[in-house]
Amino acid sequence: MLKITHNKVKMIKWRRNAILAVAFYAKKLGLINYEAEIHVAFKHDFTKTFGILASCEYDYNGKVIIDIDAKIHPLMALGTIAHEMVHAKQYIKGELSETKKGLRLLKGKKVCANITYVDEPWERE
């Protein structure tokens, strides 16, 4: 059964709503019955440090980590979470993976490492 967790930050209204959005999208994407964990980490200065609002990574032990800027505008947060939850689905269902050498695989096929973010096939879904 899917488990949803978060880091221990002050749970202001939009952050509570963000966690609810993760649960909503997990259900819509058919993830509820998977043995996996989605951990949402609200991080201060994430956008300033990395130049992006959020990211989604998989630790290959059944845990997906969604890092999201702790001060993102609440409306931006919901759209951003929807986007990152598609990546969570791709990881949990085995559609997106990474080799030990760091090559990304989408549905078992190698993806060229020299492509731009907007051309990455997992960003199109």
Side-chain angles (χ1 to χ4, degrees):
M1 184 102 163
L2 184 71
K3 181 178 179 182
I4 300 170
T5 60
H6 61 84
N7 61 334
K8 305 302 179 207
V9 296
K10 184 178 179 183
M11 289 305 288
I12 57 179
K13 185 177 179 178
W14 83 260
R15 292 179 190 153
R16 282 192 301 276
N17 288 340
I19 299 301
L20 292 173
V22 168
F24 172 82
Y25 289 117
K27 184 175 181 179
K28 288 290 185 187
L29 293 166
L31 302 177
I32 297 300
N33 293 321
Y34 280 80
E35 287 296 323
E37 177 181 349
I38 298 174
H39 180 80
V40 181
F42 299 98
K43 297 197 170 183
H44 292 281
D45 296 323
F46 189 79
T47 302
K48 185 178 178 181
T49 303
F50 298 102
I52 54 176
L53 298 173
S55 69
C56 182
E57 301 292 329
Y58 188 61
D59 76 357
Y60 297 97
N61 291 315
K63 186 175 184 179
V64 172
I65 299 111
I66 296 176
D67 293 324
I68 187 165
D69 195 296
K71 294 182 181 177
I72 190 174
H73 188 279
L75 293 177
M76 287 295 294
L78 294 178
T80 301
I81 287 168
H83 175 86
E84 298 306 333
M85 284 300 295
V86 171
H87 296 314
K89 184 235 7 148
Q90 291 168 334
Y91 283 126
I92 291 169
K93 290 187 173 183
E95 299 166 358
L96 180 61
S97 60
E98 194 172 305
T99 68
K100 291 180 182 179
K101 293 182 180 181
L103 295 172
R104 292 249 171 116
L105 304 175
L106 184 64
K107 298 181 180 176
K109 295 181 182 177
K110 291 181 186 177
V111 178
C112 178
N114 298 355
I115 57 177
T116 61
Y117 170 80
V118 295
D119 291 327
E120 292 172 336
W122 51 86
E123 292 298 336
R124 292 187 194 135
E125 185 173 349

